[in-house]
Amino acid sequence: MQKISEIVLADEVVLDVQNSEKIAVIKELAQILIDKNIVTNPDEFFSAILRRENLESTGIGQGVAIPHARSSAVKNIAIVFGRSKAGVDFSSLDGQPSYLIFLIAAPEDKKTEYIMTLARLSKLLRKSDARNKLMTVQQPQEVIETIIRYE
Amino acid sequence: MKLEKILLYVEPKANIELISQFTINLAQQNNARVFALSMIPHSIPQIKTRLDEQAWKRLYEIEEDAFEAGIKISLLLEELEKMNRENLTQKLIDISKSFQVDAVIFYSTAKININKLIGEIKLPVYIIPSSAKSKTELRNDSLQEV
């Protein structure tokens, strides 16, 4: 099982997302997966992402959101990290906006790996020190270093 | 009584497949939203980290089942100072009231003071028996609604 730090796209960290609305932010991050050819069918992937967003809140509270989808349109499991300075409304149960956004994409047949990735990332992001550090890092490489330190 | 919000307490010994299936069936019948709740002790970091990951894994397994069934679901992970019967029961009561749920479900191995829970929330409580071996044994009419 790969570590979170091995799955996050280190070269594609977005320290300041351009959009402020949930779906627009997800599309902004998903575009990276499309550009890197990790997502091979954008429409199918967006459909899976949007269906989930319509059914549940992927904002897990404490300023964190983990939009995610498992789809045959995904070649390999990957995470794109984006940070929003203003915060994005992911309908978190705690009512707080999300500042740290981790988009997870996984192939349809990787259910176990997908669930473990969600669990490990959620665990990591419950650590307030990790969240605080991710909120203040200035360089993309620091994101990976922070994840390595806390995972 | 139509159920709009269902609280599922997911404790470590619960049979995830069974509680997930029963909860999803009940949610489908009522077009209800599910709140899946796990609780972990506020203990030393190394132990908490391991329990934290296991708890999230259980919650995401249920989330995936719910997603495939088209059921709305929210996940909750709460920390308790001590995982004793009194604290677990009180947290379940507090969350039931906070989210204004219409029913509570848990596995029979959960350390819950049932009389106190029912006395406080005055809602249907479904206890899934650990003796159930398969999903087919969990038809609604075979379960006791307390």
Side-chain angles (χ1 to χ4, degrees), chain A residues 5-49:
Chain A
S5 54
E6 296 169 341
I7 304 172
V8 173
L9 299 182
D11 298 335
E12 305 291 348
V13 164
V14 183
L15 289 178
D16 194 4
V17 295
Q18 298 300 304
N19 292 282
S20 57
E21 189 273 328
K22 178 176 78 167
I23 301 303
V25 169
I26 291 173
K27 287 190 171 182
E28 181 180 340
L29 298 179
Q31 189 60 46
I32 294 169
L33 298 170
I34 296 163
D35 292 344
K36 291 187 80 73
N37 203 30
I38 292 170
V39 167
T40 55
N41 184 332
D43 289 344
E44 189 179 324
F45 181 68
F46 284 137
S47 174
I49 283 278

Short mmCIF file of all heavy atoms in Angstrom, two decimals, chain A residues 5-49:
data_model
loop_
_atom_site.label_atom_id
_atom_site.label_comp_id
_atom_site.label_asym_id
_atom_site.label_seq_id
_atom_site.Cartn_x
_atom_site.Cartn_y
_atom_site.Cartn_z
N SER A 5 2.14 10.37 0.99
CA SER A 5 3.17 11.23 0.40
C SER A 5 3.62 10.73 -0.97
O SER A 5 4.17 11.50 -1.77
CB SER A 5 4.37 11.33 1.33
OG SER A 5 4.83 10.04 1.68
N GLU A 6 3.39 9.46 -1.25
CA GLU A 6 3.77 8.90 -2.55
C GLU A 6 2.65 9.07 -3.59
O GLU A 6 2.88 8.93 -4.79
CB GLU A 6 4.09 7.40 -2.40
CG GLU A 6 5.31 7.16 -1.51
CD GLU A 6 5.46 5.69 -1.12
OE1 GLU A 6 4.47 4.93 -1.22
OE2 GLU A 6 6.56 5.31 -0.70
N ILE A 7 1.44 9.33 -3.09
CA ILE A 7 0.30 9.43 -4.00
C ILE A 7 -0.01 10.88 -4.37
O ILE A 7 -0.50 11.17 -5.46
CB ILE A 7 -0.96 8.79 -3.35
CG1 ILE A 7 -0.67 7.33 -2.96
CG2 ILE A 7 -2.14 8.83 -4.30
CD1 ILE A 7 -1.77 6.69 -2.15
N VAL A 8 0.29 11.79 -3.45
CA VAL A 8 0.05 13.22 -3.75
C VAL A 8 0.97 13.64 -4.89
O VAL A 8 2.16 13.33 -4.88
CB VAL A 8 0.32 14.09 -2.50
CG1 VAL A 8 0.25 15.58 -2.86
CG2 VAL A 8 -0.67 13.78 -1.40
N LEU A 9 0.40 14.35 -5.85
CA LEU A 9 1.20 14.79 -7.00
C LEU A 9 2.07 15.96 -6.57
O LEU A 9 1.63 17.12 -6.49
CB LEU A 9 0.28 15.20 -8.15
CG LEU A 9 -0.64 14.09 -8.69
CD1 LEU A 9 -1.47 14.61 -9.86
CD2 LEU A 9 0.16 12.86 -9.11
N ALA A 10 3.33 15.64 -6.28
CA ALA A 10 4.25 16.62 -5.69
C ALA A 10 4.50 17.82 -6.59
O ALA A 10 4.69 18.94 -6.11
CB ALA A 10 5.57 15.94 -5.33
N ASP A 11 4.49 17.59 -7.89
CA ASP A 11 4.80 18.67 -8.83
C ASP A 11 3.59 19.53 -9.19
O ASP A 11 3.70 20.48 -9.95
CB ASP A 11 5.39 18.10 -10.13
CG ASP A 11 6.69 17.36 -9.87
OD1 ASP A 11 7.35 17.70 -8.87
OD2 ASP A 11 7.02 16.45 -10.65
N GLU A 12 2.44 19.13 -8.66
CA GLU A 12 1.20 19.80 -9.08
C GLU A 12 0.41 20.37 -7.91
O GLU A 12 -0.80 20.51 -7.98
CB GLU A 12 0.32 18.80 -9.86
CG GLU A 12 1.00 18.15 -11.03
CD GLU A 12 1.27 19.14 -12.17
OE1 GLU A 12 0.73 20.26 -12.12
OE2 GLU A 12 2.03 18.78 -13.09
N VAL A 13 1.12 20.68 -6.82
CA VAL A 13 0.46 21.28 -5.66
C VAL A 13 -0.06 22.68 -6.02
O VAL A 13 0.65 23.45 -6.67
CB VAL A 13 1.46 21.35 -4.49
CG1 VAL A 13 0.97 22.30 -3.41
CG2 VAL A 13 1.72 19.95 -3.92
N VAL A 14 -1.30 22.95 -5.60
CA VAL A 14 -1.89 24.28 -5.88
C VAL A 14 -2.01 25.03 -4.54
O VAL A 14 -2.91 24.75 -3.75
CB VAL A 14 -3.28 24.14 -6.54
CG1 VAL A 14 -3.83 25.53 -6.89
CG2 VAL A 14 -3.21 23.27 -7.78
N LEU A 15 -1.10 25.94 -4.31
CA LEU A 15 -1.08 26.63 -3.01
C LEU A 15 -2.13 27.73 -2.90
O LEU A 15 -2.43 28.19 -1.80
CB LEU A 15 0.31 27.22 -2.75
CG LEU A 15 1.41 26.19 -2.46
CD1 LEU A 15 2.75 26.89 -2.28
CD2 LEU A 15 1.08 25.35 -1.24
N ASP A 16 -2.70 28.10 -4.02
CA ASP A 16 -3.75 29.13 -3.99
C ASP A 16 -4.73 28.86 -5.13
O ASP A 16 -4.50 29.32 -6.25
CB ASP A 16 -3.10 30.52 -4.12
CG ASP A 16 -4.05 31.63 -3.76
OD1 ASP A 16 -5.20 31.34 -3.35
OD2 ASP A 16 -3.66 32.79 -3.91
N VAL A 17 -5.78 28.15 -4.83
CA VAL A 17 -6.72 27.81 -5.91
C VAL A 17 -7.37 29.09 -6.44
O VAL A 17 -7.58 30.06 -5.70
CB VAL A 17 -7.81 26.81 -5.44
CG1 VAL A 17 -7.19 25.47 -5.07
CG2 VAL A 17 -8.62 27.36 -4.30
N GLN A 18 -7.70 29.06 -7.71
CA GLN A 18 -8.23 30.25 -8.37
C GLN A 18 -9.72 30.44 -8.12
O GLN A 18 -10.22 31.55 -8.16
CB GLN A 18 -7.99 30.15 -9.88
CG GLN A 18 -6.51 30.08 -10.25
CD GLN A 18 -5.75 31.30 -9.78
OE1 GLN A 18 -6.09 32.43 -10.09
NE2 GLN A 18 -4.73 31.08 -8.96
N ASN A 19 -10.41 29.34 -7.86
CA ASN A 19 -11.87 29.40 -7.73
C ASN A 19 -12.30 29.41 -6.27
O ASN A 19 -11.51 29.06 -5.38
CB ASN A 19 -12.49 28.21 -8.46
CG ASN A 19 -12.30 28.33 -9.97
OD1 ASN A 19 -13.00 29.07 -10.63
ND2 ASN A 19 -11.32 27.60 -10.51
N SER A 20 -13.55 29.78 -6.07
CA SER A 20 -14.06 29.85 -4.69
C SER A 20 -15.32 29.00 -4.48
O SER A 20 -15.79 28.87 -3.36
CB SER A 20 -14.36 31.30 -4.32
OG SER A 20 -15.29 31.85 -5.24
N GLU A 21 -15.85 28.46 -5.55
CA GLU A 21 -17.05 27.63 -5.45
C GLU A 21 -16.65 26.16 -5.54
O GLU A 21 -15.74 25.80 -6.28
CB GLU A 21 -18.03 28.03 -6.57
CG GLU A 21 -19.40 27.42 -6.47
CD GLU A 21 -19.48 26.05 -7.12
OE1 GLU A 21 -18.77 25.84 -8.11
OE2 GLU A 21 -20.24 25.21 -6.62
N LYS A 22 -17.34 25.34 -4.78
CA LYS A 22 -16.94 23.93 -4.61
C LYS A 22 -16.70 23.20 -5.93
O LYS A 22 -15.61 22.64 -6.14
CB LYS A 22 -18.01 23.19 -3.79
CG LYS A 22 -17.74 21.72 -3.60
CD LYS A 22 -18.77 21.08 -2.70
CE LYS A 22 -20.06 20.79 -3.40
NZ LYS A 22 -20.95 19.90 -2.62
N ILE A 23 -17.67 23.20 -6.79
CA ILE A 23 -17.54 22.42 -8.03
C ILE A 23 -16.42 22.99 -8.92
O ILE A 23 -15.66 22.24 -9.54
CB ILE A 23 -18.88 22.38 -8.80
CG1 ILE A 23 -19.97 21.74 -7.91
CG2 ILE A 23 -18.73 21.62 -10.11
CD1 ILE A 23 -19.65 20.34 -7.43
N ALA A 24 -16.33 24.31 -8.93
CA ALA A 24 -15.28 24.95 -9.74
C ALA A 24 -13.89 24.57 -9.20
O ALA A 24 -12.96 24.33 -9.98
CB ALA A 24 -15.46 26.46 -9.74
N VAL A 25 -13.77 24.51 -7.89
CA VAL A 25 -12.48 24.12 -7.29
C VAL A 25 -12.16 22.67 -7.63
O VAL A 25 -11.03 22.34 -8.00
CB VAL A 25 -12.51 24.32 -5.75
CG1 VAL A 25 -11.30 23.68 -5.10
CG2 VAL A 25 -12.58 25.80 -5.42
N ILE A 26 -13.16 21.81 -7.54
CA ILE A 26 -12.93 20.39 -7.87
C ILE A 26 -12.49 20.27 -9.33
O ILE A 26 -11.56 19.53 -9.66
CB ILE A 26 -14.21 19.57 -7.60
CG1 ILE A 26 -14.47 19.48 -6.09
CG2 ILE A 26 -14.10 18.17 -8.22
CD1 ILE A 26 -15.78 18.83 -5.73
N LYS A 27 -13.16 21.02 -10.21
CA LYS A 27 -12.79 20.95 -11.63
C LYS A 27 -11.38 21.49 -11.86
O LYS A 27 -10.63 20.96 -12.68
CB LYS A 27 -13.82 21.72 -12.48
CG LYS A 27 -15.13 20.97 -12.59
CD LYS A 27 -16.05 21.61 -13.62
CE LYS A 27 -17.26 20.70 -13.87
NZ LYS A 27 -18.18 21.22 -14.88
N GLU A 28 -11.05 22.53 -11.12
CA GLU A 28 -9.69 23.10 -11.24
C GLU A 28 -8.64 22.06 -10.88
O GLU A 28 -7.63 21.90 -11.59
CB GLU A 28 -9.57 24.32 -10.32
CG GLU A 28 -8.23 25.01 -10.37
CD GLU A 28 -8.15 26.21 -9.42
OE1 GLU A 28 -9.21 26.74 -9.01
OE2 GLU A 28 -7.02 26.61 -9.09
N LEU A 29 -8.87 21.34 -9.79
CA LEU A 29 -7.91 20.32 -9.36
C LEU A 29 -7.96 19.10 -10.27
O LEU A 29 -6.93 18.50 -10.59
CB LEU A 29 -8.18 19.92 -7.91
CG LEU A 29 -8.05 21.03 -6.86
CD1 LEU A 29 -8.36 20.51 -5.46
CD2 LEU A 29 -6.66 21.66 -6.89
N ALA A 30 -9.16 18.75 -10.71
CA ALA A 30 -9.30 17.58 -11.58
C ALA A 30 -8.63 17.80 -12.93
O ALA A 30 -8.15 16.85 -13.56
CB ALA A 30 -10.78 17.26 -11.78
N GLN A 31 -8.57 19.05 -13.36
CA GLN A 31 -7.93 19.35 -14.64
C GLN A 31 -6.47 18.90 -14.64
O GLN A 31 -5.93 18.48 -15.67
CB GLN A 31 -8.04 20.85 -14.95
CG GLN A 31 -7.59 21.22 -16.35
CD GLN A 31 -8.43 20.53 -17.42
OE1 GLN A 31 -9.66 20.50 -17.35
NE2 GLN A 31 -7.76 19.93 -18.42
N ILE A 32 -5.85 18.96 -13.47
CA ILE A 32 -4.46 18.50 -13.34
C ILE A 32 -4.37 17.01 -13.64
O ILE A 32 -3.46 16.54 -14.34
CB ILE A 32 -3.93 18.82 -11.93
CG1 ILE A 32 -3.85 20.35 -11.75
CG2 ILE A 32 -2.59 18.15 -11.67
CD1 ILE A 32 -3.60 20.80 -10.32
N LEU A 33 -5.34 16.27 -13.12
CA LEU A 33 -5.36 14.82 -13.37
C LEU A 33 -5.59 14.52 -14.85
O LEU A 33 -5.06 13.55 -15.39
CB LEU A 33 -6.44 14.16 -12.52
CG LEU A 33 -6.27 14.27 -11.01
CD1 LEU A 33 -7.53 13.78 -10.28
CD2 LEU A 33 -5.07 13.46 -10.54
N ILE A 34 -6.39 15.35 -15.47
CA ILE A 34 -6.66 15.17 -16.91
C ILE A 34 -5.40 15.49 -17.71
O ILE A 34 -5.01 14.74 -18.61
CB ILE A 34 -7.84 16.07 -17.34
CG1 ILE A 34 -9.12 15.62 -16.62
CG2 ILE A 34 -8.03 16.03 -18.86
CD1 ILE A 34 -10.23 16.65 -16.65
N ASP A 35 -4.78 16.61 -17.36
CA ASP A 35 -3.57 17.03 -18.09
C ASP A 35 -2.45 16.00 -17.96
O ASP A 35 -1.63 15.84 -18.87
CB ASP A 35 -3.08 18.38 -17.56
CG ASP A 35 -4.04 19.51 -17.89
OD1 ASP A 35 -4.90 19.31 -18.77
OD2 ASP A 35 -3.95 20.58 -17.25
N LYS A 36 -2.41 15.32 -16.83
CA LYS A 36 -1.35 14.31 -16.63
C LYS A 36 -1.79 12.93 -17.12
O LYS A 36 -1.09 11.93 -16.89
CB LYS A 36 -0.99 14.24 -15.14
CG LYS A 36 -0.26 15.49 -14.66
CD LYS A 36 0.25 15.35 -13.25
CE LYS A 36 1.54 14.58 -13.17
NZ LYS A 36 2.70 15.33 -13.67
N ASN A 37 -2.96 12.91 -17.74
CA ASN A 37 -3.47 11.67 -18.32
C ASN A 37 -3.72 10.58 -17.27
O ASN A 37 -3.71 9.39 -17.58
CB ASN A 37 -2.52 11.14 -19.40
CG ASN A 37 -3.23 10.23 -20.38
OD1 ASN A 37 -4.43 10.40 -20.62
ND2 ASN A 37 -2.53 9.24 -20.90
N ILE A 38 -3.96 11.01 -16.04
CA ILE A 38 -4.36 10.04 -14.99
C ILE A 38 -5.85 9.78 -15.11
O ILE A 38 -6.31 8.65 -14.94
CB ILE A 38 -4.00 10.60 -13.59
CG1 ILE A 38 -2.47 10.65 -13.44
CG2 ILE A 38 -4.63 9.76 -12.48
CD1 ILE A 38 -1.98 11.39 -12.22
N VAL A 39 -6.59 10.82 -15.45
CA VAL A 39 -8.02 10.67 -15.77
C VAL A 39 -8.13 10.66 -17.29
O VAL A 39 -7.73 11.61 -17.96
CB VAL A 39 -8.86 11.82 -15.18
CG1 VAL A 39 -10.26 11.85 -15.77
CG2 VAL A 39 -8.93 11.69 -13.66
N THR A 40 -8.66 9.56 -17.81
CA THR A 40 -8.70 9.39 -19.26
C THR A 40 -10.03 9.80 -19.88
O THR A 40 -10.12 10.02 -21.08
CB THR A 40 -8.41 7.93 -19.63
OG1 THR A 40 -9.33 7.10 -18.92
CG2 THR A 40 -6.98 7.55 -19.25
N ASN A 41 -11.07 9.85 -19.04
CA ASN A 41 -12.38 10.25 -19.53
C ASN A 41 -12.95 11.30 -18.57
O ASN A 41 -13.58 10.95 -17.57
CB ASN A 41 -13.30 9.03 -19.61
CG ASN A 41 -14.66 9.37 -20.21
OD1 ASN A 41 -15.13 10.51 -20.10
ND2 ASN A 41 -15.30 8.38 -20.82
N PRO A 42 -12.71 12.57 -18.85
CA PRO A 42 -13.12 13.63 -17.93
C PRO A 42 -14.61 13.61 -17.60
O PRO A 42 -15.00 13.80 -16.43
CB PRO A 42 -12.74 14.91 -18.67
CG PRO A 42 -11.63 14.50 -19.58
CD PRO A 42 -11.94 13.10 -19.99
N ASP A 43 -15.45 13.41 -18.59
CA ASP A 43 -16.90 13.43 -18.34
C ASP A 43 -17.31 12.35 -17.34
O ASP A 43 -18.10 12.59 -16.42
CB ASP A 43 -17.67 13.24 -19.65
CG ASP A 43 -17.57 14.46 -20.55
OD1 ASP A 43 -17.17 15.53 -20.03
OD2 ASP A 43 -17.86 14.34 -21.75
N GLU A 44 -16.76 11.18 -17.52
CA GLU A 44 -17.10 10.08 -16.63
C GLU A 44 -16.60 10.35 -15.21
O GLU A 44 -17.29 10.10 -14.22
CB GLU A 44 -16.49 8.78 -17.16
CG GLU A 44 -16.96 7.54 -16.43
CD GLU A 44 -16.35 6.27 -17.01
OE1 GLU A 44 -16.15 6.20 -18.23
OE2 GLU A 44 -16.06 5.35 -16.22
N PHE A 45 -15.41 10.91 -15.12
CA PHE A 45 -14.84 11.21 -13.80
C PHE A 45 -15.65 12.30 -13.10
O PHE A 45 -16.01 12.16 -11.93
CB PHE A 45 -13.38 11.63 -13.95
CG PHE A 45 -12.71 11.94 -12.64
CD1 PHE A 45 -12.47 10.93 -11.71
CD2 PHE A 45 -12.34 13.23 -12.32
CE1 PHE A 45 -11.87 11.21 -10.49
CE2 PHE A 45 -11.74 13.52 -11.10
CZ PHE A 45 -11.50 12.50 -10.19
N PHE A 46 -15.97 13.37 -13.82
CA PHE A 46 -16.76 14.45 -13.23
C PHE A 46 -18.13 13.93 -12.78
O PHE A 46 -18.65 14.32 -11.74
CB PHE A 46 -16.95 15.59 -14.22
CG PHE A 46 -15.72 16.45 -14.39
CD1 PHE A 46 -15.33 16.86 -15.64
CD2 PHE A 46 -14.97 16.84 -13.28
CE1 PHE A 46 -14.20 17.66 -15.81
CE2 PHE A 46 -13.85 17.64 -13.44
CZ PHE A 46 -13.45 18.04 -14.71
N SER A 47 -18.68 13.05 -13.58
CA SER A 47 -19.98 12.50 -13.23
C SER A 47 -19.90 11.75 -11.90
O SER A 47 -20.79 11.90 -11.04
CB SER A 47 -20.44 11.56 -14.35
OG SER A 47 -21.61 10.90 -13.98
N ALA A 48 -18.84 10.98 -11.72
CA ALA A 48 -18.67 10.23 -10.46
C ALA A 48 -18.44 11.19 -9.30
O ALA A 48 -19.00 11.01 -8.21
CB ALA A 48 -17.50 9.27 -10.59
N ILE A 49 -17.64 12.21 -9.53
CA ILE A 49 -17.36 13.20 -8.47
C ILE A 49 -18.64 13.95 -8.10
O ILE A 49 -18.97 14.11 -6.92
CB ILE A 49 -16.29 14.21 -8.96
CG1 ILE A 49 -14.89 13.58 -8.90
CG2 ILE A 49 -16.35 15.50 -8.18
CD1 ILE A 49 -14.24 13.63 -7.53
#
